[in-house]
Amino acid sequence: DKVIRIWDDREGFQCRELLRGHTGTVWSLYADHEKLVSGGADRTVRVWAIRRRKIRCARVLTNLHRRSIMCLDVDGTALATGSPDWVVRVWPHALDFTSRSNKFPPKSG
């Protein structure tokens, strides 16, 4: 599915919001109180900002892998992504919103 559904269990477990933007299946998610990070078959990672129960797409990261983003994890401003191309990459400043670029060289080593 290309849509991320946000569910609210306070009122009978109802779908509260639909997040659209991915053009392929969403395979991976990370969430905390400030952000939701999604990766998918469209080879993009989308960073969704959460503010006062409103969610908006704050950044789209492109050109991370040659194939789908199948898994991801977040540690501070660093993002790790994995793909069926047998590659795991660490993007050290991917979630640093002081950076304007949406293309990052992977951390070497």
Side-chain angles (χ1 to χ4, degrees):
D1 199 342
K2 302 173 190 176
V3 179
I4 300 167
R5 289 168 177 79
I6 305 300
W7 297 89
D8 190 341
D9 64 350
R10 292 179 290 179
E11 297 177 20
F13 205 71
Q14 302 212 358
C15 184
R16 181 173 65 100
E17 195 165 352
L18 300 175
L19 304 180
R20 301 178 194 276
H22 281 284
T23 59
T25 302
V26 176
W27 290 114
S28 52
L29 291 172
Y30 167 89
D32 63 26
H33 294 288
E34 297 176 345
K35 66 189 160 299
L36 177 91
V37 183
S38 58
D42 59 2
R43 303 181 306 151
T44 68
V45 168
R46 291 179 181 268
V47 182
W48 308 83
I50 303 171
R51 302 281 188 268
R52 296 186 185 107
R53 293 186 48 123
K54 300 283 185 188
I55 303 172
R56 68 172 181 83
C57 186
R59 176 174 279 176
V60 179
L61 306 173
T62 60
N63 301 318
L64 303 181
H65 288 273
R66 292 184 201 151
R67 296 183 61 193
S68 301
I69 308 294
M70 297 300 290
C71 58
L72 57 82
D73 198 11
V74 172
D75 183 14
T77 62
L79 170 69
T81 56
S83 179
D85 56 10
W86 295 93
V87 174
V88 173
R89 292 191 170 135
V90 176
W91 311 91
H93 304 290
L95 304 180
D96 179 0
F97 288 99
T98 60
S99 171
R100 293 180 160 246
S101 172
N102 68 344
K103 297 179 184 176
F104 300 92
K107 184 175 182 178
S108 58

